[in-house]
Amino acid sequence: MLLDRHIGFVEALRAAGLTVSLAEDIDAARALGHVALDDRETVRAVYAATLCKREGHRPGFDALFDLWFPALVGDGRMGAGIAAGATEGYELATKEGDNELAQEMRDDGPQSLEDFRTELGAALESDDRQRMAELAIFGVGQFGALPGQGPGRSTWSSYTAMKRIRPEDLAFRIMQGLEGQGFGEEEARAVATRRIGTFVGLAEADANRRIAQEKGVEQIQEIVVRPTLDRLDFLSMRRADVEELRRQIYPLARRLATRLTQEHHARRRGPLDFRRTVRASIATGGVPLETHHKPKRPHKTELVVLCDVSGSVANFASFTLLLVFALREQFGKVRAFTFVDDVTEVTDQFVPGGDLVDIMTGLVEQSAHTARFGRTNYGRAFTRFLEKYPDALGPKTSFLVLGDARSNYSDLKLDALKTIVEGTRKQWWLNPEVRRNWDTGDSVATRYNDVVPMVECRNLTQLSEFVHDIL
Amino acid sequence: MSTNAWFQSPDDAAKRLDAVGYLTDIPTATTAYLTGALEKPLLLEGPAGVGKTELAKAVARATGAELIRLQCYEGLDEARALYEWNYKKQLLRIQATDTSQDWEQTHDDIFTDEFLLTRPLLTAIRRSEPTVLLIDEVDKTDVEVEGLLLEILSDFQVTIPELGTVSAVRKPFVILTSNASRELSEAVKRRCLYLHLDYPESKREKEIVLSQVPGVSDRLAGQLVDTIGRLRDLELKKSPSIAESVDWARTLVALQIGKLDDAAITRTLGVVLKHRSDQERAVRELKLGR
C-alpha cells in the first residue's frame, strides 16, 4: 500500500518533469525507513531531500506532495465546530459517507457566510496561517461544492467558493489594521493583497485535494503542476510571473557572468611566457614543472538593441533589456532603442546600479514617445532608426532586434534593414513566438529572417542560452 | 544503532543543534539526521548569509567531530583539494641517493607516504575520528573538480595511482554548500541529499536574533525582524540575510538604541543594505523622512 503510493508519487514527479533516477528513488525509500511516518512534514522533508534537487522544481513538488499525501481526507472535523474553533486534531481520519453527511448538514445560507467572512477577516488580519488553512478547507467544503452526477459524486470548485466568499472585499479591513501598526498605505495594500492571495492559493489547493480524492490523483495532477519559471513562455505570463521573473534578473545575470568568466579563464592560456617559465623552474633545480603563459586580451562586443515595445511583446522586450544591461560589464558598450512605429533611445534609463522599479517606470514613460499611430510598423521603425541614429552603427557593433515581426501588413522596408545589416558586424533577431506560429497572420518572420537570422526565444532558458552564446 | 550514528532521530538532531546555538526547522533537522543515517553527502543551496556554512560548523560542534574545510575557488585542482606529491623533497631524495642504488629501489622510495602532502579531501577520509567535511561554495569550482568529487562522494575513496585506492577509515559527515551561481551536474546532485535553505519565518528569525545577540530586548528583536521582513518584500538587489539581521541587532545593542524608530533605521541602514539604490528604495518605501 505504502510502496504503491511511493511509486505512484515518484512517477508523478517524473511526469511533471523532475528527473528522478532509480538511485534516488531507492534512497527515498531507504530514508523513509529511518524516520517515523506519523509526521507529515517530516515525510515531506525526506522526499524533498532525496528527490527534489532543484529549487525551481519545489513548487511543483509541493503541489504533487499535497495531492499524493493529503493532510486530511474528506471534510475532516471542520464541518461543524468552526465558530467554536474546535479544530484540534488536524490529522483526521476519513469517515465513510462523510460527504453525504456533509451534504445533508450543509448550512451555506447567508448567515453562515457572514460568520465565515468575519472569521476569515480576523485570521487574515492577524496573519494566522494555521487558521487560514483551516478556513480554506472549510470554505471550499461549505461554499464551493458543485452538485455532481449521482449521490456522493459531488465536485468542488475554489472559483465558486471565492465568488461567494469574496475575500478581496476584506482587503480594506486588513489595510486598516496594518495602518494602525504603522504601515504606509501602499505597503499595507501590498501586504493585504498578498495575504488574500495566500488564502486563495490554499483554497485552490484544497479544491484540488478534494477532486483528487474523489476521482483519483492521476486525473488532476497534470493541471496542478505548472511549468517552472525558466520554461514559462514570455507571451503567456501572468502578472505574478512577471514580477517573479524581475526578481530573477540579477541572480540570473550573476550566474551568466560567473559562467562566462570561468569559460574565458579556461581559454585564457595565451602563448608561452618563456621568461617566467624559466625563472620559476629555478626553484625546482631547472626542471620546468609549471609553465607560465601570457594572458589573452578579452574581446568585448558593442551592442545595439532595438526593441518592439508594443502590447504583448513589451514584457519580453523590457525583460531582455534589463538582462542585457545587468550584464553590461561583459559588453564594450550597449545602446538601447525602443519602437512601436517611431524610434527613441532609452540607454540613459539604465543608470549603473540603478533601481529596478525606477528603470521600469522610466522605460514605460520614454516609450510613450514611440507611438504615433499606435500600430507596430517595423518598416517605419527601421527607416526612422537610420534617419535619427546613424551614429549608433559601426563596423564593430552587433545589432539585436527584439520583436515578433508582426508588422500590421505595412511596408517591410527591407532595404532599410539591409543598410543596417551592411553597417554592422553581426546581427540577430529574437522572436518570442513559437516557431510554428511564424508567418501566420501578419507575421513576416521568414522575410526578415532572410536578412537577419531569427532565433526563437520563448522562455528564460532560451534567453540565457542566447545571451551566453553571443558573448 | 551502529557506531557511526550521528544523530538518533530528527528530534535529536534538532535538540542537539539547538544546544550549540543553531536553531533548526523540521526540514533542516530531518535532512541533517538523514545525512548521518544514510551516510550520504548533503548539498545545501540558498542565498548568501542564511547559515549554510554555519550548519556544518554546528553539526561539528554538536557531535564533537572535527571540521575539515575545503574552500572552493575558481582554478582549484586536485593538487589543492586531494593530494600532491612533494616534488622538491622527492628531487632532494633522488639527488641524495648514491649511484649504487638502482632506479627501481629509488622509485619505490620516493612514492611513499613520506612524500605525500594530503589536502583536505584525503585528510578527511583518512581520519579515524569523527569528521565533518565541509566543501564550501562548490559552485565556484570548474566542472572538472566535480568529476574529482564524484569518487569521494559516492564511495568515500580516493585512487592514487602510485599507492592504490585509499578507502575511508570512517565515513565523514559531508556537507557541500552552493550559492547556485552555477548549476551543478546531475551526477553530483544524484549522489547527494538536497536541502534548500531560505530566509526563515519571522518567528524563527526572531529566536535566532535573540539567541545570537545577548542584550537585545524581546521588543527590539520583534521590531527588527518585522522591518527586515518588510525590506525583503521590496524589490531589492540584495535582500538582507540572517547574518545581516544579526549584525544589525549587534549594531543597535552597541549603539544602545532601545527602540527601532525611523531615525534609528535611517542611521543604521548601511548595516543591512549594501547597494545605494537599495537604500534609496528602502527610504522611500518605508517612508523614512530623510
Side-chain angles (χ1 to χ4, degrees):
Chain A
M1 171 65 194
L2 186 62
L3 187 63
D4 287 347
R5 269 274 126 155
H6 170 77
I7 290 171
F9 180 54
V10 169
E11 265 165 14
L13 287 177
R14 285 188 186 136
L18 276 76
T19 43
V20 180
S21 70
L22 184 60
E24 285 165 323
D25 185 358
I26 295 168
D27 278 347
R30 268 179 58 208
L32 281 179
H34 282 276
V35 298
L37 295 176
D38 55 358
D39 182 19
R40 184 163 170 266
E41 285 312 305
T42 308
V43 176
R44 187 199 293 267
V46 168
Y47 271 126
T50 45
L51 300 179
C52 175
K53 307 212 167 158
R54 241 169 255 250
E55 182 51 17
H57 288 153
R58 190 61 204 247
F61 169 87
D62 278 337
L64 281 175
F65 184 84
D66 287 338
L67 280 186
W68 283 82
F69 301 92
L72 78 173
V73 270
D75 273 336
R77 218 180 288 165
M78 301 288 303
I82 169 177
T87 49
E88 290 146 4
Y90 207 52
E91 61 295 344
L92 297 158
T94 353
K95 272 183 269 155
E96 287 297 325
D98 212 10
N99 292 333
E100 278 105 289
L101 195 71
Q103 291 277 13
E104 280 169 31
M105 292 176 60
R106 191 170 302 287
D107 170 23
D108 57 354
Q111 179 54 42
S112 79
L113 184 64
E114 207 41 56
D115 289 348
F116 179 84
R117 282 168 53 85
T118 318
E119 286 280 329
L120 179 63
L124 286 173
E125 212 177 317
S126 57
D127 200 16
D128 182 349
R129 287 292 154 89
Q130 178 78 16
R131 188 78 185 134
M132 272 156 71
E134 290 165 4
L135 286 170
I137 294 168
F138 178 78
V140 172
Q142 197 82 322
F143 307 111
L146 304 174
Q149 313 106 330
R153 306 228 74 203
S154 53
T155 181
W156 283 270
S157 152
S158 64
Y159 179 73
T160 315
M162 289 308 121
K163 282 276 267 197
R164 297 200 56 196
I165 300 169
R166 297 195 317 280
E168 58 282 358
D169 291 0
L170 295 167
F172 184 66
R173 183 176 154 185
I174 308 170
M175 277 172 64
Q176 274 183 329
L178 286 172
E179 278 169 29
Q181 291 168 31
F183 279 70
E185 188 190 335
E186 248 172 68
E187 212 192 338
R189 187 186 305 278
V191 173
T193 318
R194 199 172 53 243
R195 286 190 193 163
I196 291 170
T198 316
F199 174 73
V200 175
L202 287 169
E204 272 171 23
D206 188 63
N208 287 334
R209 174 188 68 80
R210 286 167 188 269
I211 298 170
Q213 187 196 343
E214 199 82 358
K215 300 193 172 150
V217 180
E218 289 81 359
Q219 292 292 318
I220 193 161
Q221 63 193 18
E222 274 154 41
I223 46 168
V224 172
V225 182
R226 304 187 67 219
T228 51
L229 197 63
D230 53 344
R231 305 232 167 251
L232 207 59
D233 275 14
F234 286 122
L235 297 181
S236 63
M237 274 187 180
R238 306 190 207 152
R239 224 183 105 84
D241 296 327
V242 174
E243 278 169 18
E244 181 55 37
L245 210 55
R246 283 213 320 238
R247 282 174 187 272
Q248 295 292 325
I249 288 183
Y250 284 103
L252 178 69
R254 206 164 43 232
R255 265 205 300 279
L256 272 174
T258 331
R259 196 169 138 200
L260 283 164
T261 6
Q262 277 178 355
E263 285 172 4
H264 284 178
H265 283 188
R267 278 182 275 133
R268 187 171 50 180
R269 271 159 67 117
L272 184 77
D273 188 339
F274 190 72
R275 201 181 136 83
R276 282 188 65 201
T277 309
V278 170
R279 280 184 63 177
S281 75
I282 292 171
T284 46
V287 186
L289 287 177
E290 263 181 76
T291 55
H292 292 266
H293 298 262
K294 289 174 185 156
K296 249 186 185 170
R297 283 185 159 274
H299 163 78
K300 286 196 172 177
T301 323
E302 283 180 19
L303 195 64
V304 170
V305 195
L306 192 59
C307 304
D308 181 355
V309 285
S310 64
S312 58
V313 206
N315 264 342
F316 162 69
S318 56
F319 185 76
T320 311
L321 271 184
L322 283 174
L323 182 66
V324 164
F325 275 91
L327 280 167
R328 109 189 56 218
E329 294 103 59
Q330 306 286 330
F331 296 100
K333 194 171 149 198
V334 187
R335 285 182 77 176
F337 304 87
T338 55
F339 70 88
V340 174
D341 54 5
D342 198 356
V343 185
T344 186
E345 176 156 15
V346 291
T347 317
D348 52 342
Q349 291 298 325
F350 296 90
V351 206
D355 186 80
L356 217 82
V357 184
D358 288 348
I359 293 178
M360 293 303 290
T361 329
L363 210 58
V364 174
E365 269 169 27
Q366 282 243 352
S367 302
H369 302 302
T370 56
R372 288 193 162 187
F373 307 106
R375 288 165 74 83
T376 326
N377 186 332
Y378 279 75
R380 207 182 130 73
F382 292 137
T383 339
R384 290 287 292 160
F385 177 71
L386 274 179
E387 283 169 22
K388 280 168 87 176
Y389 308 103
D391 57 318
L393 305 175
K396 275 192 194 164
T397 44
S398 299
F399 182 69
L400 176 64
V401 189
L402 310 175
D404 57 2
R406 292 190 177 273
S407 194
N408 291 313
Y409 305 105
S410 57
D411 186 358
L412 300 186
K413 295 272 169 51
L414 283 172
D415 334 331
L417 188 58
K418 274 181 190 145
T419 318
I420 295 175
V421 168
E422 277 156 21
T424 52
R425 201 172 70 88
K426 265 196 142 178
Q427 309 80 29
W428 304 274
W429 188 313
L430 290 186
N431 192 335
E433 277 194 333
V434 193
R435 193 173 279 267
R436 65 168 179 276
N437 286 352
W438 292 9
D439 294 323
T440 56
D442 60 344
S443 168
V444 283
T446 318
R447 298 199 48 199
Y448 279 133
N449 191 10
D450 294 339
V451 187
V452 174
M454 203 176 277
V455 184
E456 178 192 275
C457 181
R458 279 160 49 212
N459 52 38
L460 204 54
T461 316
Q462 284 180 334
L463 179 62
S464 45
E465 276 313 308
F466 172 79
V467 173
H468 173 255
D469 287 346
I470 67 171
L471 278 162
Chain B
M1 272 208 183
S2 59
T3 47
N4 53 17
W6 292 83
F7 298 108
Q8 303 303 325
S9 67
D11 289 339
D12 179 48
K15 217 181 300 157
R16 282 164 70 188
L17 289 173
D18 252 15
V20 292
Y22 190 91
L23 298 180
T24 53
D25 49 11
I26 295 177
T28 315
T30 311
T31 319
Y33 160 69
L34 281 179
T35 311
L38 296 178
E39 298 189 318
K40 285 178 97 48
L42 168 62
L43 171 63
L44 286 176
E45 259 183 11
V50 289
K52 299 188 292 294
T53 310
E54 209 47 52
L55 176 60
K57 291 184 187 163
V59 170
R61 279 202 303 273
T63 56
E66 188 170 325
L67 181 76
I68 292 185
R69 177 169 178 168
L70 172 68
Q71 179 70 45
C72 294
Y73 52 87
E74 203 192 312
L76 179 83
D77 55 1
E78 56 177 358
R80 303 264 161 219
L82 210 52
Y83 69 92
E84 193 175 17
W85 290 109
N86 194 341
Y87 296 119
K88 289 171 193 169
K89 208 171 166 191
Q90 283 175 330
L91 272 174
L92 277 174
R93 173 77 180 74
I94 295 170
Q95 285 165 358
T97 35
D98 55 67
T99 42
S100 63
Q101 199 176 357
D102 63 345
W103 167 244
E104 285 299 316
Q105 179 68 36
T106 321
H107 175 269
D108 288 346
D109 276 356
I110 59 170
F111 287 111
T112 53
D113 238 17
E114 190 192 346
F115 299 96
L116 191 68
L117 297 171
T118 58
R119 302 294 186 203
L121 291 183
L122 188 60
T123 315
I125 67 168
R126 296 215 312 182
R127 276 172 57 88
S128 53
E129 296 85 43
T131 312
V132 174
L133 171 63
L134 167 64
I135 304 178
D136 214 1
E137 308 199 355
V138 72
D139 53 328
K140 297 269 170 17
T141 57
D142 311 313
V143 185
E144 295 81 39
V145 180
E146 279 185 25
L148 185 86
L149 287 176
L150 289 182
E151 192 183 5
I152 296 186
L153 295 185
S154 54
D155 301 330
F156 293 97
Q157 63 177 37
V158 176
T159 306
I160 303 174
E162 294 85 356
L163 288 183
T165 303
V166 182
S167 298
V169 183
R170 181 185 186 130
K171 286 187 182 171
F173 190 104
V174 185
I175 293 186
L176 295 88
T177 73
S178 156
N179 285 333
S181 73
R182 172 169 74 79
E183 190 77 36
L184 297 177
S185 73
E186 281 301 322
V188 168
K189 285 197 164 177
R190 188 158 56 75
R191 285 167 173 81
C192 297
L193 299 177
Y194 178 88
L195 178 66
H196 184 91
L197 285 180
D198 215 333
Y199 302 123
E201 291 170 19
S202 55
K203 192 160 150 264
R204 203 176 129 231
E205 182 159 21
K206 189 175 159 191
E207 284 167 13
I208 294 174
V209 169
L210 283 172
S211 75
Q212 294 284 319
V213 187
V216 68
S217 71
D218 191 76
R219 179 151 154 270
L220 181 62
Q223 285 177 335
L224 186 140
V225 168
D226 280 350
T227 316
I228 292 275
R230 283 158 73 179
L231 287 175
R232 282 191 193 135
D233 286 342
L234 304 176
E235 270 185 55
L236 297 179
K237 277 189 180 159
K238 166 77 180 72
S239 290
S241 66
I242 303 180
E244 280 160 333
S245 337
V246 171
D247 281 348
W248 202 13
R250 289 215 177 99
T251 314
L252 294 176
V253 169
L255 293 174
Q256 299 184 333
I257 297 174
K259 183 166 167 287
L260 195 62
D261 51 15
D262 287 2
I265 296 179
T266 316
R267 269 173 69 197
T268 52
L269 202 57
V271 183
V272 274
L273 297 180
K274 288 153 190 180
H275 286 279
R276 196 173 58 92
S277 65
D278 282 357
Q279 291 195 358
E280 281 168 5
R281 167 141 294 264
V283 167
R284 213 167 345 137
E285 294 282 329
L286 300 185
K287 303 237 161 39
L288 309 169
R290 194 178 248 195

